[in-house]
Amino acid sequence: MFDEGQLYSPVTEHADGRVEVHLGADHPGFTDAAYRGRRADIAAAALAWTPGTPIPVIDYTDAENEVWRIASAELAPKHAVRAHSEYLAAKAALDLPADRVPQLAEVSARLRPLTGWTYACAPGLVALREFYGALGARVFHSTQYLRHPSQPLYTPEPDIIHEVIGHANQLASPRFARLTEAAGRASLRVQTDAAMKVIADVFWFSMEFGVMREQGELKAYGAGILSSYGEMDAFSHMEIRPLDIAAMARIDYDITTYQSTLFCAESLDELEDVVGVFFETVDDDSPARIDAAWARELASH
């Protein structure tokens, strides 16, 4: 999560006002001029937005609505089998449309009565401290673009499917919403980059890629898993470790591939007792304490 900028296509606003989204050569839309232009227009709307004013309305095309419809239809049966019941209950309460892309203002209107959260628009990457600081105020920054229509079940970067189907459904749970807010509030307490990185890494292995036991079965609650068609098939075959803050903050991981190591909570109570308490107590001295704990753990092996 700390290096999440690698996932987002950079956005440039040129001196003449032209906005350009720099897709990587391996992006499905790299050679699609119409898609590149559409991405630039959506990014420009977000760049022109001023917080406190209405979020720009994107007039989604039939093709974009079809991408959302396909993703929603394909993810739903996997959610029914592999998602934790807390996420499923929150998803039912939020009741997002499955046949069209919702506007971010609509997501906010559905989410606010449930947990007090709202959405803000972003052209792509949001600076780490700005993103987490907003979480502390119950605001989630989201992109508004969709993945390339040639691959509706795959995206090399977070899009509105990840940030709404994954995170908004998660944030409709009061318990998951409190954990996310706690991570944001933690970011406002710490001053050092090392402490900020620890918060982001623990968030990555919990709210993004967390799994949990439920009635003896391994279930997913992390938004990164639950918004990914492929990751939902893969996660149960990965190395599953118990919750361990030192390990979550210190093991190496590749954000561009399926996660090979996941951390499992035995219950929501344990998740709150371990990850929630960490977010509530982390400070600028935490990295040193975690390094010491990690060194002891490595020595014991």
Side-chain angles (χ1 to χ4, degrees):
M1 192 71 175
F2 191 69
D3 298 319
E4 194 176 47
Q6 296 174 29
L7 282 175
Y8 287 86
S9 300
V11 177
T12 301
E13 188 171 15
H14 297 281
D16 62 1
R18 181 173 56 91
V19 173
E20 183 179 3
V21 178
H22 303 273
L23 302 182
D26 58 349
H27 193 288
F30 180 70
T31 62
D32 186 338
Y35 180 78
R36 293 171 71 98
R38 178 63 167 164
R39 286 288 300 271
D41 290 344
I42 292 175
L47 286 170
W49 175 67
T50 301
T53 63
I55 293 176
V57 172
I58 305 300
D59 185 13
Y60 290 108
T61 65
D62 290 344
E64 288 167 333
N65 283 322
E66 180 66 2
V67 168
W68 178 275
R69 188 199 65 75
I70 291 171
S72 295
E74 295 294 334
L75 290 172
K78 292 184 182 290
H79 286 167
V81 174
R82 299 186 173 98
H84 191 274
S85 61
E86 183 75 9
Y87 174 90
L88 292 175
K91 179 182 177 181
L94 190 59
D95 194 24
L96 292 170
D99 60 341
R100 60 175 176 80
V101 189
Q103 300 294 329
L104 292 186
E106 178 184 359
V107 176
S108 294
R110 292 169 180 258
L111 194 54
R112 190 183 294 108
L114 298 173
T115 59
W117 279 75
T118 58
Y119 266 56
C121 64
L125 177 68
V126 176
L128 190 74
R129 286 190 178 273
E130 181 183 354
F131 177 81
Y132 275 90
L135 297 184
R138 301 183 189 175
V139 175
F140 192 94
H141 282 93
S142 172
T143 56
Q144 293 174 284
Y145 57 79
L146 286 103
R147 58 200 60 183
H148 193 264
S150 67
Q151 298 190 44
L153 300 179
Y154 166 76
T155 178
E157 58 188 335
D159 66 348
I160 194 171
I161 290 173
H162 165 71
E163 295 181 325
V164 172
I165 292 180
H167 283 287
N169 283 325
Q170 187 188 63
L171 289 169
S173 154
R175 297 180 78 172
F176 290 147
R178 283 195 295 270
L179 284 165
T180 304
E181 182 182 359
R185 289 183 177 274
S187 76
L188 299 173
R189 282 200 312 276
V190 302
Q191 301 297 317
T192 67
D193 288 345
M196 188 66 244
K197 183 179 185 303
V198 165
I199 292 166
D201 286 343
V202 173
F203 188 91
W204 177 266
F205 281 116
S206 55
M207 308 317 295
E208 286 284 359
F209 286 93
V211 294
M212 196 181 313
R213 298 284 178 194
E214 186 169 31
Q215 296 181 346
E217 294 187 37
L218 189 68
K219 301 288 188 176
Y221 69 90
I225 298 175
L226 293 169
S227 60
S228 169
Y229 181 87
E231 196 106 31
M232 274 195 284
D233 287 334
F235 79 86
S236 62
H237 306 294
M238 302 307 181
E239 178 189 4
I240 307 298
R241 298 190 186 185
L243 289 183
D244 180 339
I245 294 297
M248 294 165 86
R250 287 295 175 252
I251 67 167
D252 293 329
Y253 59 93
D254 184 350
I255 64 177
T256 66
T257 64
Y258 292 165
Q259 297 305 299
S260 60
T261 301
L262 301 173
F263 292 87
C264 179
E266 293 301 317
S267 65
L268 267 168
D269 288 344
E270 186 193 31
L271 182 66
E272 291 169 333
D273 288 345
V274 176
V275 173
V277 169
F278 166 76
F279 286 147
E280 290 169 358
T281 59
V282 61
D283 57 29
D284 286 317
D285 295 326
S286 293
R289 292 193 295 269
I290 287 169
D291 283 345
W294 185 232
R296 290 193 297 271
E297 184 168 331
L298 292 178
S300 70
H301 292 80

